[in-house]
Amino acid sequence: MRELTSRLPTSPGFWRSPLRGPWLTSVLGLVLLFGVGVLFVTGLLSYAAYNPGLSPVNDKTPDKGLLGFYLFAWPTDPYWLYRLTQGVHVTLGLTLVPVLLGKLWSVVPRLFTLPPVRSVAHGLERISLLLLVGGALFEFATGVLNIQLDYVFPGSFYPLHFYGAWVFFAAFVAHAVLKVPKALRTVRTMRASRDDDLVSPRPDPPTVSRRGALWLVGGGALLMCATNAGRSFDGPLRQTAVLSPHGGPEPGTGPNGFQINKTAAYLGIDPAETTQDAWRLTVTGPGGTVRLDRAELLRMKQYSVALPIACVEGWSTSDQWWRGVRLGDLAALAGFDGHPPDVLVESLQRRGAFRRGALRANQVADPRSLLALHVNGEPLSADHGYPARIIVPGAPGVLNTKWVTRMTFGDLS
Amino acid sequence: MRRVRAPRRPPRPVLGSPFQISLLACSFALAGYAGVRLLAGDWLGVTLWFVGAALLHDLVLVPLYATADRAVVRALGAAGQRAAVLYVRVPAAFCGLLLLVWFPLIGGRVDRRYESVTGLPATGFAARWLLITAALFGGSALLLVLRGVRERRRRDVR
């Protein structure tokens, strides 16, 4: 009988690894406490960067209610802000995958503890753990799948990842409050208690020390970090991201050779619509409506600026040299001289969640915000938004609308 | 008789820490506020993903790699090579981790979309993963050989 029960995972004797114990779990838990905290904050920042409060076209989670309490006008300084926060969000998330797996492995016997519920508080904690573990895996899975364009999850990425993050975070905070004091004590005293329920009562002889196990997890994290950080830079550094989307070589050579978020062909841009004869930019405002072709835009005062493209998927380019017309000058054409308002930008593209995007007054007013006609000394390529595209310092890539056809100043509806 | 039996009866479920109960109630309320929004669309699909992710990890992934690990330990132990376990475990864990994270690209599930969206080639992910796997296990084998040579030398010196 004893032999039989010890073969069931509900018996402590079933779990044989000599590595499990409060020390390993505490160390991994404290790493996740810090890491998940950074992931949550950078994730919230990414939502704020879209300026969802500005216009419904920017907001993919309009029924957020109080969960958007912290939203603020996204700044244009520093110009690399979104490149940094979103690069950290995605690269750190990938780096933490082995830490999360290690942490879950270290506590898996607790899933099977008997009796399943010892008290009301214990029962509630176990329900909370389902939200914690399910939430963590849900967030990591949707993130990892989304950056690979594998949209198998049940719905749009934005609401799933945002609301899922709040469900996960609610359970995460409760778990942290309950466990961090003990974890800190365990790590500070550097002594693993022998009578913890995670410690196997009849352990196998060790094949690796606890420290060695930690090195294995840390090595995995280092591997993930080293093979992903390069996605935030052009040239040889990007080549180090060998298995990641937007890693490896650039899509092309020359001035327009840098990374493309979505190609012209994919978004249904018809080349016939972008010719000198066919394409016009419509600029509208209280001062009336102006229609400009590309030659007329080129006759306006041209400015140059070095800015990166930074995508929500965590990759970004190094600074590119853009040249074009200031958004502030276009606002003046629409009747706003001196104090540019918000603007609604519309693209020629047939599909895509950001066919239209709104920019806030502070973004329009920034002298570095351009309707770019050239990049790196050449006219924009079709894939980078020919005839004209928006480039705004610090903004997420999708708000740098390509193939712009209409700009409505002062009225976002 | 009764006095002896009484302590053996399983203790009745108690309330537990009131602090813990109020903390968890607060957590559930916040999770509920976000949860109704999370479930506003395909509620069944989202629930299946949420619960399924936990079950798939705890009841499929962990048993799978733990069983594989145990088989390796046992096989090497039987051959008197128990100390060499890490030389298999480390490369297997690393290439398994890369496969777990990048299986959509490695397996070619998203080839056509990836190429048409990004303008980048989708071929080569599987080949690169295989090369990394080869390098990890190859490096491990090399270290094992070096270790063997060093041990033999030490024995010869003695």
Side-chain angles (χ1 to χ4, degrees), chain A residues 272-308:
Chain A
E273 290 177 290
T274 60
T275 59
Q276 173 68 31
D277 291 336
W279 183 81
R280 295 289 180 279
L281 172 71
T282 307
V283 180
T284 309
T289 297
V290 186
R291 289 165 69 80
L292 301 156
D293 64 19
R294 199 165 186 277
E296 287 168 313
L297 282 167
L298 283 167
R299 280 197 292 275
M300 291 176 70
K301 190 156 172 42
Q302 304 287 304
Y303 295 88
S304 289
V305 63
L307 292 174

Side-chain angles (χ1 to χ4, degrees), chain A residues 117-137:
Chain A
V117 175
R118 288 196 304 270
S119 65
V120 174
H122 181 241
L124 291 177
E125 193 191 347
R126 298 208 69 180
I127 297 171
S128 176
L129 287 177
L130 176 66
L131 295 183
L132 182 76
V133 177
L137 293 168

Side-chain angles (χ1 to χ4, degrees), chain A residues 130-406:
Chain A
L130 176 66
L131 295 183
L132 182 76
V133 177
L137 293 168
F138 182 81
E139 285 303 286
F140 275 80
T142 48
V144 162
L145 290 169
N146 186 63
I147 63 172
Q148 296 177 78
L149 319 180
D150 195 356
Y151 307 126
V152 286
F153 31 76
S156 158
F157 173 71
Y158 290 97
L160 292 183
H161 205 63
F162 180 70
Y163 295 134
W166 276 104
V167 172
F168 167 53
F169 193 68
F172 179 80
V173 170
H175 187 67
V177 169
L178 292 175
K179 301 291 186 182
V180 165
K182 187 189 168 195
L184 284 174
R185 246 187 344 264
T186 306
V187 172
R188 211 176 290 147
T189 55
M190 292 297 280
R191 248 182 314 136
S193 140
R194 284 274 105 206
D195 55 1
D196 192 277
D197 63 325
L198 287 175
V199 177
S200 172
R202 24 182 229 124
D204 282 337
T207 52
V208 60
S209 67
R210 285 215 171 99
R211 218 159 268 271
L214 208 55
W215 273 110
L216 178 65
V217 174
L222 201 67
L223 177 71
M224 292 306 294
C225 185
T227 54
N228 283 292
R231 303 197 318 142
S232 298
F233 306 92
D234 288 350
L237 274 175
R238 191 181 298 281
Q239 308 266 3
T240 60
V242 281
L243 288 177
S244 327
H246 291 274
E250 303 295 345
T253 53
N256 273 287
F258 58 97
Q259 294 294 313
I260 301 156
N261 181 35
K262 291 190 170 59
T263 60
Y266 179 73
L267 290 175
I269 301 298
D270 180 355
E273 290 177 290
T274 60
T275 59
Q276 173 68 31
D277 291 336
W279 183 81
R280 295 289 180 279
L281 172 71
T282 307
V283 180
T284 309
T289 297
V290 186
R291 289 165 69 80
L292 301 156
D293 64 19
R294 199 165 186 277
E296 287 168 313
L297 282 167
L298 283 167
R299 280 197 292 275
M300 291 176 70
K301 190 156 172 42
Q302 304 287 304
Y303 295 88
S304 289
V305 63
L307 292 174
I309 295 283
C311 183
V312 68
E313 290 159 9
W315 59 267
S316 56
T317 69
S318 300
D319 294 353
Q320 313 292 329
W321 273 99
W322 308 91
R323 192 163 169 76
V325 182
R326 273 187 183 158
L327 297 188
D329 291 351
L330 292 169
L333 281 183
F336 290 94
D337 225 344
H339 294 287
D342 307 331
V343 64
L344 178 70
V345 183
E346 294 173 70
S347 167
L348 278 176
Q349 69 194 63
R350 295 278 181 279
R351 49 197 183 123
F354 286 87
R355 206 175 58 74
R356 305 192 299 162
L359 298 171
R360 207 183 280 277
N362 69 313
Q363 295 174 313
V364 178
D366 193 297
R368 296 164 297 178
S369 296
L370 301 182
L371 180 72
L373 306 167
H374 288 89
V375 66
N376 299 323
E378 291 278 319
L380 293 169
S381 68
D383 286 333
H384 285 302
Y386 182 87
R389 77 170 297 168
I390 300 288
I391 185 79
V392 170
V398 283
L399 291 180
N400 292 321
T401 309
K402 300 194 273 191
W403 313 289
V404 174
T405 182
R406 172 184 284 270

Side-chain angles (χ1 to χ4, degrees), chain B residues 66-144:
Chain B
T67 309
D69 188 75
R70 206 172 265 201
V72 170
V73 173
R74 226 171 259 166
L76 288 176
Q81 291 276 333
R82 208 160 181 283
V85 166
L86 278 184
Y87 291 83
V88 180
R89 189 186 278 156
V90 173
F94 285 2
C95 74
L97 172 68
L98 291 173
L99 181 64
L100 179 72
V101 171
W102 302 124
F103 73 88
L105 284 172
I106 293 171
R109 287 168 45 79
V110 290
D111 273 9
R112 280 179 53 196
R113 184 185 296 138
Y114 184 77
E115 288 186 347
S116 70
V117 168
T118 65
L120 291 162
T123 49
F125 284 101
R128 286 197 291 279
W129 178 73
L130 285 172
L131 285 178
I132 291 171
T133 303
L136 285 168
F137 278 102
S140 196
L142 192 68
L143 287 176
L144 256 181

